[in-house]
Amino acid sequence: MLDVCLLGTGGMMPLSYRWLTSLMMRYNGTSILIDCGEGTQIAMAKKGWSPKPIDIICFTHFHADHISGIVGMLLCMGNADRTEPVTMIGPRGLERVINSMRIIAPELPFELNFIEITELEQEFDFGDFRIRAFRANHNIMCYGYSLEIDRTGKFDVERAKALNIPVNMWGRLQNGEEIEYEGRYLTPDMVLGPDRKGIKLTYCTDSRPTDMIVKNAADSDLFICEGMYGEPGMEKKARENKHMTFYEAADMAKRANVKELWLTHYSPSLNYPKEYENAAREIFPNTHTCKDGRTKEINFEE
Amino acid sequence: MLDVCLLGTGGMMPLSYRWLTSLMMRYNGTSILIDCGEGTQIAMAKKGWSPKPIDIICFTHFHADHISGIVGMLLCMGNADRTEPVTMIGPRGLERVINSMRIIAPELPFELNFIEITELEQEFDFGDFRIRAFRANHNIMCYGYSLEIDRTGKFDVERAKALNIPVNMWGRLQNGEEIEYEGRYLTPDMVLGPDRKGIKLTYCTDSRPTDMIVKNAADSDLFICEGMYGEPGMEKKARENKHMTFYEAADMAKRANVKELWLTHYSPSLNYPKEYENAAREIFPNTHTCKDGRTKEINFEE
């Protein structure tokens, strides 16, 4: 099960009633954060999710509304007694930017490992899951991210029995281990059916719509995408500021054949995103405008 | 009239129900901010005070809970169309620290002027008012600040008439101007009585109690002082962490002969500061524990 929380839904600046856009995910004891603007640690505390298990922090880009809260977040993780290293993923320059900001927090009780994205599309393997970064189209270097959790095939008890594999090895094979046993070489494919559908989530802000986003969001269970503007007539402004409208996001969701679309990163001038939800649903029916703290559990299909 | 708002009252980290300690003052069209931790711009928006007229920002020290919100604040001032320069006052290293943090906001529509404090006590004149920095005793270089607004003597109409000073010069003399007129040299002291009591506010966090603080807070209309701990038995922890208890702050208020004491910068573990208010009042009766957004207008005495 992947536990997802959109901690904030604002763009540009935090408002008294709307935190800046940030996504937190929990899977199998690991937490992953995407973006961390001013106040994200408070939004997280409000939600009641712990900062301690955050193993990975991804940054879309270095505009302040996506990164200005990182120093407070790191200190907050330190206060929560984290000692394990934290991995940060982001555009080129990440290490320099973070270290420059850390002038007010030079000492932390854990190490930081930096992964700077160098390709247009790049995949990072974390064992249980993979994170894929893909280039967006904003006015500075910016990336979207897909998180994918694979699921192996179903364990075939009859085959395992027929092959005389001892029961105490079933679990190890199911977990992907290869075993040498009494001269035999046992591999998972001997007892597992074909791979089953995993879980896929895609997150993209800030960007104009692009084919690259559509391609990377393909077949996602959840697509979280910026919808800076919902009001009619904002297409020109969206183009100029390298952002997108609800309708451009909904069109990408449709083309990418995702299951569900969450809109976020609202302009401070957009007080009631829900007003324009139905208009976006005419393009992609399962579109949702979001409030801070929106949560969803994504389970493997039965 | 000096308009004072304690935007936040927390220490160490922002909580979901308590902003970090920051003081905003408005006087005669100018706003002054002391400290700016993560979320201060949101606390300000909640209060409804504008970031645009902030001409001066003072920093007590460079711990993150006192400065981590400055980049967001500067961007917020830019969004409010500020173009006039902003003066920053703080410990040595101020310019380097701010510029390092500004890696995510390199361009602003206004200039920054930096004043780094080099003495144990140092006064800065801003025309209508003076800001005096004085060294505190924390685990890094830290300063408290006094703001003083002078008040000239009462205009003596009878004397002005007796001296045959034309009525159209009264206002200029009252405002401190010296005038040459028909061979005479007119000075304010010819028509003004003795200086009257002005307004004085003193702000100090984070520090152990010191004589330097008492001396600089002397006779303040309002003394805003850290009270990190209120619970009994926290004296040792206060000494170790270079902070102070409610009772140490109240004792300084008494010795400094201030009119009113506000406690702030509460430890995240201190949920209900008001519980210990009466105990502090036994030392200094006009002590107040504060909630975020506490406001007061300080007027010249009639």
Side-chain angles (χ1 to χ4, degrees):
Chain A
M1 183 189 79
L2 179 70
D3 223 3
V4 175
C5 178
L6 191 55
L7 296 170
T9 57
M12 275 186 73
M13 55 201 287
L15 304 180
S16 61
Y17 60 92
R18 191 188 282 160
W19 300 109
L20 287 170
T21 293
S22 171
L23 183 73
M24 189 162 177
M25 293 172 284
R26 304 193 293 195
Y27 178 72
N28 212 3
T30 280
S31 294
I32 303 157
L33 188 70
I34 307 185
D35 283 346
C36 186
E38 183 171 1
T40 294
Q41 66 162 307
I42 315 174
M44 191 179 295
K46 270 208 149 108
K47 186 70 194 175
W49 286 22
S50 167
K52 190 175 176 183
I54 298 176
D55 293 324
I56 301 165
I57 304 177
C58 304
F59 294 98
T60 55
H61 62 303
F62 303 143
H63 277 155
D65 54 333
H66 294 260
I67 193 170
S68 56
I70 187 59
V71 174
M73 179 62 72
L74 294 173
L75 289 169
C76 172
M77 291 166 72
N79 283 333
D81 291 327
R82 184 178 177 98
T83 53
E84 301 81 15
V86 173
T87 296
M88 291 191 172
I89 304 176
R92 261 189 290 247
L94 177 67
E95 184 166 2
R96 190 177 51 87
V97 169
I98 296 290
N99 284 341
S100 186
M101 294 177 72
R102 276 187 57 204
I103 190 164
I104 54 168
E107 283 167 38
L108 292 171
F110 49 84
E111 261 180 62
L112 296 180
N113 298 323
F114 296 97
I115 300 179
E116 302 195 354
I117 306 162
T118 53
E119 313 294 328
L120 279 174
E121 297 174 89
Q122 203 167 344
E123 202 164 275
F124 307 101
D125 198 328
F126 292 96
D128 277 354
F129 54 88
R130 285 167 289 128
I131 292 176
R132 191 178 168 81
F134 54 89
R135 181 75 64 82
N137 175 14
H138 195 41
N139 51 22
I140 64 168
M141 177 99 78
C142 183
Y143 291 88
Y145 292 95
S146 281
L147 177 93
E148 284 184 85
I149 302 167
D150 296 328
R151 192 183 190 196
T152 55
K154 211 171 171 179
F155 191 84
D156 188 333
V157 174
E158 295 313 314
R159 268 174 76 194
K161 282 181 181 165
L163 291 166
N164 278 321
I165 297 174
V167 175
N168 62 357
M169 293 183 181
W170 291 10
R172 291 167 65 189
L173 289 168
Q174 190 165 19
N175 288 329
E177 221 178 300
E178 304 188 346
I179 306 168
E180 265 195 79
Y181 173 69
E182 293 184 355
R184 293 172 71 193
Y185 195 72
L186 308 176
T187 55
D189 61 291
M190 295 166 76
V191 290
L192 297 180
D195 281 355
R196 289 171 289 182
K197 187 191 166 307
I199 292 172
K200 181 174 178 184
L201 178 147
T202 301
Y203 177 94
C204 189
T205 177
D206 304 359
S207 185
R208 292 291 302 145
T210 67
D211 291 340
M212 173 78 95
I213 302 173
V214 173
K215 174 185 149 196
N216 279 281
D219 304 318
S220 292
D221 296 282
L222 178 60
F223 178 32
I224 299 174
C225 187
E226 79 150 272
M228 188 82 164
Y229 308 109
E231 317 90 306
M234 298 298 270
E235 293 75 15
K236 185 161 171 278
K237 196 163 183 184
R239 272 196 304 277
E240 282 168 4
N241 297 338
K242 294 267 192 177
H243 282 291
M244 61 179 116
T245 66
F246 283 21
Y247 317 106
E248 290 171 321
D251 179 64
M252 287 205 301
K254 183 180 165 187
R255 288 164 58 205
N257 188 39
V258 304
K259 281 203 186 143
E260 185 170 345
L261 169 65
W262 288 6
L263 296 172
T264 186
H265 200 274
Y266 306 118
S267 162
S269 64
L270 184 55
N271 291 319
Y272 303 106
K274 206 171 174 62
E275 262 188 87
Y276 305 102
E277 191 178 61
N278 280 335
R281 285 180 177 176
E282 285 179 22
I283 298 166
F284 181 77
N286 202 11
T287 298
H288 301 269
T289 52
C290 299
K291 290 194 173 165
D292 294 353
R294 185 182 180 111
T295 309
K296 184 182 170 79
E297 292 175 8
I298 307 178
N299 291 295
F300 289 121
E301 282 173 2
E302 280 315 311
Chain B
M1 183 189 80
L2 178 71
D3 224 3
V4 176
C5 179
L6 190 56
L7 296 171
T9 57
M12 275 187 71
M13 55 201 288
L15 303 180
S16 61
Y17 60 92
R18 192 188 282 160
W19 299 109
L20 287 170
T21 293
S22 171
L23 182 72
M24 188 161 177
M25 294 172 283
R26 305 192 293 195
Y27 178 71
N28 213 3
T30 281
S31 294
I32 302 157
L33 188 69
I34 307 183
D35 283 345
C36 187
E38 181 171 1
T40 294
Q41 65 162 308
I42 316 174
M44 190 178 295
K46 269 207 150 108
K47 188 70 195 176
W49 286 22
S50 167
K52 189 174 177 184
I54 298 176
D55 292 324
I56 301 164
I57 304 177
C58 304
F59 295 98
T60 55
H61 62 302
F62 303 143
H63 278 155
D65 55 332
H66 294 260
I67 193 170
S68 54
I70 188 59
V71 174
M73 179 62 72
L74 294 172
L75 289 168
C76 172
M77 291 166 71
N79 283 334
D81 291 328
R82 183 176 178 101
T83 53
E84 302 80 15
V86 174
T87 296
M88 291 191 173
I89 304 176
R92 261 189 291 247
L94 177 68
E95 184 165 3
R96 188 177 52 88
V97 169
I98 295 290
N99 285 341
S100 186
M101 294 177 70
R102 275 186 58 205
I103 190 163
I104 54 168
E107 283 167 37
L108 292 171
F110 49 84
E111 260 179 63
L112 296 180
N113 298 322
F114 296 96
I115 299 178
E116 301 195 354
I117 306 162
T118 53
E119 312 294 328
L120 278 175
E121 297 174 88
Q122 203 167 344
E123 201 164 277
F124 307 100
D125 198 327
F126 292 95
D128 277 354
F129 55 88
R130 286 167 290 128
I131 292 176
R132 190 177 169 82
F134 53 90
R135 182 74 65 83
N137 175 15
H138 194 41
N139 51 21
I140 63 168
M141 177 99 77
C142 182
Y143 290 89
Y145 291 96
S146 281
L147 177 93
E148 284 186 84
I149 302 167
D150 295 329
R151 192 182 189 196
T152 56
K154 207 169 173 180
F155 191 84
D156 188 333
V157 173
E158 295 313 314
R159 268 174 77 193
K161 282 181 179 165
L163 291 166
N164 279 320
I165 296 174
V167 175
N168 61 359
M169 292 180 181
W170 291 10
R172 291 167 63 189
L173 289 168
Q174 191 164 17
N175 288 330
E177 221 178 298
E178 303 188 348
I179 306 168
E180 266 195 80
Y181 173 70
E182 293 186 354
R184 294 171 72 194
Y185 195 71
L186 308 176
T187 56
D189 62 291
M190 295 166 76
V191 290
L192 298 180
D195 281 355
R196 288 170 291 181
K197 187 192 167 306
I199 291 171
K200 180 174 177 183
L201 178 147
T202 301
Y203 176 95
C204 189
T205 178
D206 304 0
S207 185
R208 291 292 301 145
T210 67
D211 291 340
M212 173 79 95
I213 302 173
V214 172
K215 175 187 148 195
N216 279 280
D219 304 319
S220 293
D221 296 282
L222 179 60
F223 178 32
I224 299 173
C225 187
E226 80 151 271
M228 188 83 163
Y229 309 109
E231 316 90 307
M234 298 297 270
E235 294 73 17
K236 186 162 170 277
K237 196 163 182 184
R239 271 196 306 276
E240 283 168 3
N241 297 338
K242 294 269 191 176
H243 282 291
M244 60 180 118
T245 66
F246 283 20
Y247 317 104
E248 291 171 320
D251 180 65
M252 287 206 300
K254 182 180 166 187
R255 288 164 58 205
N257 188 39
V258 305
K259 281 202 186 145
E260 186 171 344
L261 169 66
W262 288 6
L263 295 172
T264 186
H265 200 273
Y266 305 119
S267 162
S269 64
L270 185 55
N271 290 320
Y272 303 106
K274 206 171 175 62
E275 262 187 86
Y276 305 102
E277 191 178 61
N278 281 335
R281 284 181 178 175
E282 285 177 22
I283 298 165
F284 182 76
N286 202 11
T287 298
H288 301 269
T289 51
C290 298
K291 290 195 174 166
D292 293 354
R294 186 182 179 110
T295 309
K296 184 181 171 77
E297 292 176 7
I298 306 178
N299 291 293
F300 289 120
E301 282 173 1
E302 278 316 310

